[in-house]
Amino acid sequence: MIAVLAAAAVGLLSAFLPFTPAEPYLMAAVATTGTPPVALGVAAAAGQTAGKFLIFLGTRGAIRSPWLRRRLSRRAPTTGPKPAGRWGAALARPKAAGARLVEVMERPRQAIGLLLVSAVTGFPPLLATSVYLGRTPLRPVAFAAACLLGRTIRFVAIALTPRLVGY
């Protein structure tokens, strides 16, 4: 029971601090305790989903704040387009791919699929996806459900890994 609560706490902590991943804890807890791997994976997923949901809601609330709206409405004066050069040409393809990714996240149905992929694979980073989707019309319930499903798939698979290799 303590390992399951610790997995949820580690998941919550890793939602806010990406340099503290939950995966090593899950693998160590499965290898050293008798706790079922599925329970640890689901607990870590619930903790991480709670953290990402707070980030999603925080972004949504911050965007609606009058102070931030005033700051975002002030734009720096543009001096016109700069010549591309070598670096501009090298970065053109990644910038175009990023623009297509943003287009996908603007559509709620496609955003759910992208969020699910992000929650399972970590690409695009779930933290960045959570922040960006906070400014879209995606419903909070849909965000939480897709995030929980994706994180559960990821963490249960990781928690089952030590058993598959013989621990």
Side-chain angles (χ1 to χ4, degrees):
M1 181 65 174
I2 291 175
V4 172
L5 292 174
V10 167
L12 182 63
L13 179 67
S14 70
F16 296 104
L17 303 172
F19 53 86
T20 57
E23 291 87 351
Y25 169 78
L26 286 175
M27 293 180 75
V30 168
T32 59
T33 67
T35 309
V38 174
L40 288 170
V42 170
Q48 184 138 112
T49 298
K52 298 302 182 190
F53 190 65
L54 290 174
I55 291 169
F56 173 81
L57 292 177
T59 302
R60 186 162 279 183
I63 288 173
R64 292 187 180 140
S65 77
W67 177 82
L68 188 58
R69 283 189 180 180
R70 283 193 307 272
R71 293 285 292 178
L72 291 175
S73 67
R74 285 190 255 163
R75 299 229 167 142
T78 58
T79 59
K82 295 181 182 180
R86 269 179 38 185
W87 285 105
L91 295 175
R93 288 184 68 185
K95 284 174 77 174
R100 285 191 302 274
L101 189 63
V102 167
E103 284 178 23
V104 168
M105 289 197 296
E106 291 293 331
R107 298 183 201 117
R109 285 188 183 175
Q110 292 178 346
I112 291 173
L114 182 70
L115 174 62
L116 189 60
V117 168
S118 177
V120 172
T121 66
F123 185 80
L126 186 56
L127 178 61
T129 304
S130 301
V131 170
Y132 189 84
L133 289 177
R135 62 170 289 286
T136 67
L138 183 65
R139 293 186 354 227
V141 172
F143 175 87
C147 188
L148 180 62
L149 177 62
R151 283 284 130 167
T152 300
I153 292 168
R154 177 184 179 94
F155 288 146
V156 167
I158 288 170
L160 288 172
T161 300
R163 296 272 169 98
L164 294 175
V165 295
Y167 275 99

